[in-house]
Amino acid sequence: MRTTTHRPSSDGTNRSSRSLDQRWLIALVTVLVLVLAACSGGDDAGDDGDEGATDTGETAAEDTADDNTADEGGDEESTDGESVEIRFVGTQPAELIDPVTEQFEESHDGIDVTYESVPFEELSAVIAQRVGGGTQDIDVYYADAPRNPTIVEEGYALDLTDLIGVDALEGVVPEASIETAVIDDRLWTVPMRTSTQLLYYNIDLLEAADIEPPSMDPAERITWEELRDLSEQAQEAGATWGYVDDQVSRYYQFQPLPESQGGGSGLSGPEGTEVDVTNDGWIAATEYWADLYESGLAPRGVEPNDTKPLFFNGEAAFMPGGPWWIPDFSGTEDLNYGIAAYPYFEGGEEVTPTDSEHLAIDPNTEHVDAAVTFVEWITLTEEGALAMASGLAVPSANLEALPQQLAELESTRDTLTGLADLVTYEIDNTAVPRPFSVGYVEFETLIGEALEDIRNGSDVTERLTQAEEDIARAFER
């Protein structure tokens, strides 16, 4: 990654000093010529000479000044012709993204990219403070898809309708991803990644419990009810935990349960601000989930970031989670694991969560063309999408890059054969995005707090009722 080099200020100062010296020299020479001419010529010649000397002298000075102006103007043009610096803000570590920006720079002379990593939890605040504050120190940034209505309403995203266009996305990224990038028929973001969920299982723990591994075939996916029974069976056979959530108490992980029970996303209406998390589907799904913790099949008191090690270390029999864990799991020689299709409730819908990061452009950017070029390369070209997918197993939203990325993940273990077909099927058939609402952040936060309380023993109906009231009040503000 290159860094834009600015001309030192002293360079301009030196150039001005040289100009001044040149003007004094020219003026001195002109005076000497006029003196010589006066000494050698008549009055007419002297008058002409005086006029000529004056004109010539002034003209020479002006020409010299003009030459310097032209030089400086040329330097200014040269400065403008130097690399444009794009400031790119995201949530992945710099060691993953810097190789991507370097690859972009190699094929795009004149555009340098400087990447800045911020924690995911702080991204919204950073965008609000710096993009909303017009600081112009961000050009391109990660946009979490369900937060798109908020960044558009707040004026944090450049309208890309006439710069990139919806047509450019069609057939290149999933249709479901396009729907979350377009608001009021205008394109505001470009999908960079998508997501899905798998059911991981520990082969050794299942063999110890005489459990046949669940199928990877979506047509033979097990139900949540069956998963509870298998978790209990595995725990009775020696597993510390029968079940552990990847993103425990987080809405993204939880959403498929009420959706599968027919309870919906929890938000509806034209603005996505009508709250309903106390319908029969939500109550039934949450009671099922709460029982996993109440019964001791799943652990209480474990932070979301600490649940993966429980599966990683062979303590849990099952874990719903994203494909981004495959590189770590496959790289652990002692972990004997497989994957299956995501469960659904008996008699309910087959639902998997989806959505992920998009890219947005700061409407205050001074480098619109360069920012658009960078965004298009990352999201809409196979080369850029594959570069962005390397080192991170979150599925690319680019439909040309995705099969190659999945094939690479599938090759890491024999037990993953069929992974690419499963992920593709889920994205095409069962993926349900998070609700599209200007109040999504408040909704996600308050539901997460309610789920955490329920996981630790709060009554399901009472706590969801409280959450529903809290969310409604938050939307009124």
Side-chain angles (χ1 to χ4, degrees):
M1 180 175 60
R2 296 189 297 271
T3 302
T4 301
T5 302
H6 301 284
R7 178 186 293 110
S9 59
S10 59
D11 186 74
T13 302
N14 290 342
R15 198 163 41 249
S16 296
S17 298
R18 286 197 298 270
S19 300
L20 186 62
D21 293 343
Q22 288 170 342
R23 287 196 294 270
W24 276 107
L25 179 60
I26 291 171
L28 178 62
V29 169
T30 302
V31 169
L32 291 174
V33 170
L34 289 174
V35 170
L36 291 174
C39 294
S40 60
D43 293 338
D44 293 342
D47 291 339
D48 291 340
D50 287 342
E51 291 176 3
T54 302
D55 289 343
T56 301
E58 291 176 352
T59 299
E62 289 172 358
D63 286 348
T64 302
D66 289 342
D67 288 345
N68 288 336
T69 301
D71 288 344
E72 291 176 1
D75 289 337
E76 287 175 359
E77 289 180 4
S78 176
T79 298
D80 291 342
E82 291 179 357
S83 294
V84 170
E85 181 185 12
I86 297 298
R87 285 73 52 91
F88 179 30
V89 171
T91 58
Q92 264 76 55
E95 57 264 30
L96 288 179
I97 304 303
D98 284 349
V100 179
T101 60
E102 289 170 1
Q103 185 173 339
F104 170 80
E105 291 168 351
E106 288 172 0
S107 58
H108 294 81
D109 288 341
I111 304 177
D112 289 345
V113 182
T114 299
Y115 178 72
E116 176 185 348
S117 177
V118 300
F120 175 79
E121 294 79 6
E122 298 177 12
L123 178 63
S124 294
V126 168
I127 298 307
Q129 182 180 32
R130 294 163 60 179
V131 175
T135 58
Q136 294 186 311
D137 60 354
I138 295 176
D139 296 292
V140 178
Y141 64 89
Y142 282 29
D144 192 31
R147 290 169 168 77
N148 281 353
T150 300
I151 66 171
V152 171
E153 183 174 271
E154 297 293 338
Y156 298 162
L158 182 67
D159 186 343
L160 303 176
T161 310
D162 298 326
L163 296 169
I164 296 177
V166 178
D167 291 348
L169 276 61
E170 293 179 346
V172 180
V173 300
E175 191 63 32
S177 297
I178 297 177
E179 292 175 4
T180 57
V182 176
I183 298 175
D184 295 334
D185 299 324
R186 310 296 295 179
L187 178 67
W188 299 97
T189 62
V190 183
M192 177 174 64
R193 296 181 174 123
T194 184
S195 69
T196 190
Q197 290 277 293
L198 310 165
L199 178 62
Y200 291 95
Y201 57 83
N202 184 304
I203 295 174
D204 294 335
L205 294 178
L206 267 57
E207 286 181 349
D210 196 24
I211 296 173
E212 181 178 350
S215 176
M216 192 185 295
D217 184 350
E220 299 179 2
R221 74 175 76 231
I222 64 173
T223 65
W224 287 109
E225 292 89 343
E226 290 173 323
L227 179 60
R228 188 202 182 286
D229 293 342
L230 295 175
S231 298
E232 188 173 36
Q233 186 176 338
Q235 196 175 43
E236 291 175 350
T240 304
W241 306 108
Y243 172 96
V244 61
D245 274 312
D246 175 359
Q247 300 181 39
V248 63
S249 299
R250 289 181 177 171
Y251 178 77
Y252 169 81
Q253 182 86 59
F254 183 76
Q255 182 189 1
L257 278 76
E259 294 268 16
S260 181
Q261 282 282 23
S265 69
L267 291 178
S268 60
E271 302 295 328
T273 53
E274 297 176 15
V275 192
D276 183 7
V277 296
T278 55
N279 60 54
D280 291 346
W282 263 81
I283 296 295
T286 310
E287 286 181 340
Y288 165 87
W289 182 77
D291 175 67
L292 295 173
Y293 293 90
E294 177 66 28
S295 64
L297 292 175
R300 285 174 165 168
V302 179
E303 296 294 323
N305 289 335
D306 295 330
T307 58
K308 274 68 68 181
L310 299 179
F311 186 83
F312 203 97
N313 296 329
E315 299 179 52
F318 294 99
M319 187 188 85
W324 38 89
W325 298 114
I326 289 177
D328 287 340
F329 290 168
S330 293
T332 304
E333 187 175 347
D334 295 337
L335 181 61
N336 190 16
Y337 80 100
I339 59 169
Y342 207 67
Y344 72 111
F345 280 111
E346 183 177 358
E349 294 185 34
E350 299 176 359
V351 177
T352 53
T354 192
D355 263 340
S356 188
E357 293 139 341
H358 292 202
L359 291 183
I361 297 177
D362 183 346
N364 304 304
T365 181
E366 295 179 330
H367 310 299
V368 172
D369 291 343
V372 167
T373 298
F374 179 63
V375 168
E376 288 180 321
W377 184 81
I378 288 284
T379 59
L380 303 182
T381 72
E382 181 180 358
E383 179 190 12
L386 282 173
M388 203 64 181
S390 63
L392 189 68
V394 179
S396 172
N398 186 290
L399 296 176
E400 287 186 313
L402 180 60
Q404 299 175 62
Q405 182 190 21
L406 294 175
E408 185 174 343
L409 292 175
E410 188 174 305
S411 68
T412 59
R413 284 288 179 96
D414 292 340
T415 55
L416 301 184
T417 301
L419 167 71
D421 290 340
L422 172 59
V423 171
T424 302
Y425 178 87
E426 302 290 34
I427 290 174
D428 290 342
N429 297 280
T430 65
V432 175
R434 283 165 283 180
F436 219 47
S437 168
V438 293
Y440 178 77
V441 174
E442 290 87 351
F443 171 78
E444 181 187 60
T445 301
L446 293 169
I447 285 296
E449 292 174 358
L451 291 175
E452 186 61 13
D453 287 345
I454 290 169
R455 180 165 77 114
N456 290 304
S458 293
D459 180 81
V460 169
T461 301
E462 291 179 3
R463 190 62 185 85
L464 286 181
T465 299
Q466 179 189 334
E468 188 170 280
E469 294 171 354
D470 291 343
I471 295 165
R473 278 195 295 271
F475 286 176
E476 289 173 358
R477 290 195 289 269

